[in-house]
Every structure is written in C-alpha cells, then in structure tokens.
Amino acid sequence: MATIERDVEYDAQRHLMTDIYPATSAQTRGTILLLHGGGWFRGDKAKEAQPAGKLATAGYQVVVPNFRLAPANHYPAPLVDMDTLVSWLRTSGRLTDFVAVVGASSGGNMSVEVGLKYGWPTVSLSGILNIEEWLQEHPHVVGSLDHQAPANADTTAIDQDGQDDEFYKGFIEQYFATNQDYHAGTPYHHVTAQAGPMYLANSMNEFVPNDGVLRLATALVAQQVPVTVRFLPGTRHGEAYLGDVWSDVLAFIQRAESQQG
C-alpha cells in the first residue's frame, strides 16, 4: 500500500502544508484537490482523511492542503494559497493531466473559485455561494460565531441544526475585511464559459441558503457550462450527506475525466 505523504510544505514563505494521498490503483487516473471547510476560520486537512482515502481508492492522487484562516487572514488569502499550491504541484511534477476540485461548506466556495479560474471539474457540497445578495437581504441579522463546534468535531456531524442566519453572517463578515469585497467574493458574479463543469449539492433546510446553488447554476447555464444540481431533504450540511451523494460525485468526476480524454 502506498504511503500517505503528510505535512509536505508547498509554501515555504508561509510554511503551509499539504497531505498527499497517492492513488491505491496500479495507475493514477488524475489529481483531486480536496479543500476542507470550517467557515474560513477553522478546520484542518487532517479532517479530510476519510473522503481522501475513498478518492485514493477510486484511483486518484488526492491533495489536501491547509491554507491561511480568518480572522488573521481575509479574502482572498486562501484563494491566493490555492494558486501557490497549483504552481507548486506543477513545478514539482505532481500535477496530472486530469484535475478535479472537491470541497464542502467554505471549502465548497473555494472549490468553485478554483474551478472557475482553472476550468477544472468541481464538486461543491453546501458551498458558501450567496454572499453579497444574502447580506443585502439580511441587514438586521447580527452576526455571531457562538455556533462553534469543538475543535475536534467530526466534520460529518456538525452544523446539523437547520437555519442559523447569525452564524452564517458571522463567519462571512469575519472572512471579508471590507464590504467592498462581497461582490468579488460571490462566485456566481464571475462565471465565464471557461469554467469547469460543476456538481452542486445542498440540503433544503440547512444553515447554508440553497438559493446560492440556484444562482450559480443559472450563471453556469447562461455560459453553456454543464452543471448538475442535487437538493437533499433535511438539515445535514456538507460532508454529513457525502454518503448519499458519493456515487453521484464519483460518477461526475469519472465522466469529466473520460470527456477530457
């Protein structure tokens, strides 16, 4: 069995690390960037061990990076880190011909941003997609980070209580240094025809507003970019419903791989 490379430094200046899970198949089918969630202010690559292992078993090299977090770092710092990661993967000869991006929650937002920029197939589970318009529509909500899970909480079992506008607003306001960044940080405002195909999922009654999925899907369709949308019943968030959509996600990635070939 191939050995997982842990804490590989991809940014020497900022001492940012990534874990790399080699494909367990005889031949590597491609690379998947797996971006952790946590509202841009918490989370760690180590919490992605389970989905990373499953993707590696499916034949993909899986790269799971850490990146700069709020409140010490604001938008677009984590996205700049992803550019650094991509450059490092290329120069180190680790980036395969086929690349896809997967993420949940704030990691879903980042995955979409990476997919828009590089044209790579993207999976977003409960991605934070509606930012500018949601904030405009909820001026009286007072942001709060009181809804904080313990540092060691299982990512498949947190934030399952349904709507929580205070928490949603709280971590968004912490991530953006000024409200002038809200427009630029809302993914559906800068969709182009060069975007990669996308798989977007959301629970219908969770704390992440599901209209962000609809807005992004509409923008993608307008640019003739293929998009798959799935809404699940209940309040589960992000990786909590990964088991339900796993076969869809894998089929989406494999289909994109075959179409590229």
Side-chain angles (χ1 to χ4, degrees):
M1 180 177 179
T3 302
I4 300 169
E5 297 182 70
R6 301 192 186 277
D7 294 326
V8 181
E9 188 174 67
Y10 72 88
D11 186 335
Q13 179 181 354
R14 299 185 177 93
H15 304 294
L16 293 173
M17 308 293 183
T18 186
D19 293 342
I20 301 176
Y21 295 70
T24 60
S25 57
Q27 184 175 3
T28 301
R29 304 181 62 156
T31 298
I32 294 179
L33 307 185
L34 179 58
L35 309 184
H36 75 74
W40 297 290
F41 72 95
R42 66 185 181 195
D44 185 85
K45 57 186 174 58
K47 294 189 176 184
E48 301 303 314
Q50 182 177 3
K54 292 180 68 173
L55 289 166
T57 300
Y60 299 95
Q61 170 187 241
V62 187
V63 179
V64 190
N66 275 344
F67 41 84
R68 286 175 287 172
L69 299 176
N73 304 279
H74 299 287
Y75 169 89
L79 298 176
V80 172
D81 296 339
M82 294 305 94
D83 290 337
T84 302
L85 174 68
V86 171
S87 295
W88 176 81
L89 288 168
R90 282 177 172 155
T91 57
S92 63
R94 294 173 180 265
L95 200 65
T96 56
D97 291 337
F98 175 76
V99 184
V101 199
V102 177
S105 196
S106 56
N109 166 284
M110 292 174 58
S111 295
V112 167
E113 294 285 16
V114 172
L116 290 174
K117 181 169 186 175
Y118 292 95
W120 291 334
T122 300
V123 174
S124 170
L125 309 179
S126 301
I128 312 303
L129 305 175
N130 186 349
I131 295 170
E132 182 180 39
E133 281 70 25
W134 189 93
L135 291 171
Q136 291 173 347
E137 294 163 3
H138 296 80
H140 301 301
V141 173
V142 178
S144 171
L145 295 180
D146 287 345
H147 188 165
Q148 292 196 33
N152 60 350
D154 183 349
T155 56
T156 65
I158 62 173
D159 302 324
Q160 309 305 314
D161 301 326
Q163 184 174 340
D164 191 340
D165 289 349
E166 292 77 13
F167 181 54
Y168 188 75
K169 191 171 188 177
F171 67 73
I172 287 177
E173 289 180 326
Q174 181 174 247
Y175 178 48
F176 291 93
T178 69
N179 55 17
Q180 282 74 37
D181 291 327
Y182 293 152
H183 182 84
T186 302
Y188 50 75
H189 286 318
H190 48 266
V191 172
T192 71
Q194 284 67 52
M198 298 200 176
Y199 178 95
L200 310 175
N202 222 87
S203 289
M204 290 186 283
N205 294 296
E206 64 162 292
F207 82 91
V208 174
N210 54 43
D211 64 344
V213 169
L214 298 174
R215 290 173 184 262
L216 178 56
T218 298
L220 290 166
V221 170
Q223 293 293 334
Q224 300 293 297
V225 177
V227 57
T228 301
V229 173
R230 182 169 177 183
F231 288 109
L232 295 95
T235 62
R236 291 177 299 167
H237 172 66
E239 291 181 6
Y241 56 74
L242 181 57
D244 289 10
V245 302
W246 175 253
S247 59
D248 287 354
V249 167
L250 194 57
F252 167 81
I253 294 171
Q254 293 174 341
R255 182 166 59 251
E257 178 193 349
S258 65
Q259 291 172 347
Q260 177 177 293

